[in-house]
Amino acid sequence: MTKPLIAMPIVDLDAIAQQLGESGKRVHVLWQESESLAFVARGREYRSEFHINPSDEVMYMIRGSMNLHYRDTDGTEKIAVIPEGECIFTPTGVAHSPRFAPDAYVLVTERLRRPGEKDRFQWFCMECDNFLHEESVHVADYRTDPVAGAYQSFFDNEEARTCDKCGTVAPTY
Ligand SMILES: [Fe+2]
């Protein structure tokens, strides 16, 4: 069989989800080429932050459902529930927090980041909703798991986790 000259991967999403669960990893990048980034991810028990992408995002639930917390234009927190087999469009700049179980799986497609673009991760106080902290990173390679990196920085910084309004300290889990 001749090797195709153009890379056009066809992926079995259920098989990727199965492999991801068995590997213990959180993210499997399918491709990150030209304008397109696609990956399959498992839920994280500790996910509490809001992510702000410099790109539109589509999330399709392969297995299980997701509660997508997000901040509306007036700043209020809302929850969009995405059942298995359904997908949601999240426009550029909407602060969103994908909360789903470690045995639930999502396909995410975004635009590959351009040079200098930053992804922002924001935490709010779980008691009084006061803004706590922001981590900002350029994501050159999604295989590095930028979400885990942002959490590590936040967990390692007790001052950042302490609410200056009510004194509550965000836990490190
Ligand atoms: Fe607080």
Side-chain angles (χ1 to χ4, degrees):
M1 203 172 85
T2 55
K3 199 169 170 249
L5 298 173
I6 304 171
M8 292 170 58
I10 296 171
V11 295
D12 178 337
L13 294 175
D14 258 321
I16 298 280
Q18 187 71 28
Q19 284 168 24
L20 196 55
E22 288 164 4
S23 74
K25 291 195 314 180
R26 299 289 185 172
V27 178
H28 180 104
V29 175
L30 299 174
W31 58 79
Q32 39 185 355
E33 302 288 334
S34 181
E35 290 278 288
S36 177
L37 161 67
F39 57 92
V40 174
R42 287 196 298 127
R44 298 171 196 258
E45 306 84 335
Y46 52 80
R47 194 101 194 229
S48 59
E49 107 299 348
F50 285 80
H51 184 195
I52 300 168
N53 294 1
S55 154
D56 289 345
E57 180 168 350
V58 173
M59 285 173 266
Y60 165 75
M61 292 311 293
I62 303 165
R63 288 189 198 169
S65 65
M66 174 191 286
N67 284 353
L68 184 69
H69 292 236
Y70 66 98
R71 302 259 167 194
D72 212 334
T73 48
D74 62 356
T76 55
E77 184 172 343
K78 301 210 171 137
I79 303 173
V81 179
I82 312 154
E84 182 172 302
E86 299 194 16
C87 73
I88 190 169
F89 170 71
T90 305
T92 303
V94 172
H96 60 283
S97 185
R99 301 186 194 172
F100 57 119
D103 62 352
Y105 298 83
V106 66
L107 167 68
V108 179
T109 62
E110 303 177 0
R111 179 176 52 64
L112 191 61
R113 307 301 187 255
R114 294 175 179 142
E117 280 185 335
K118 294 277 178 76
D119 279 55
R120 296 155 67 200
F121 300 88
Q122 296 183 339
W123 286 265
F124 296 83
C125 177
M126 55 175 51
E127 288 300 323
C128 75
D129 206 37
N130 183 39
F131 173 79
L132 287 182
H133 183 67
E134 176 176 304
E135 290 284 328
S136 169
V137 291
H138 172 67
V139 181
D141 182 351
Y142 212 89
R143 290 171 300 183
T144 58
D145 196 349
V147 173
Y151 271 89
Q152 198 55 56
S153 301
F154 180 64
F155 288 162
D156 288 347
N157 186 346
E158 187 168 324
E159 198 184 326
R161 288 186 288 108
T162 305
C163 178
D164 58 17
K165 206 163 153 192
C166 78
T168 301
V169 181
T172 55
Y173 54 77

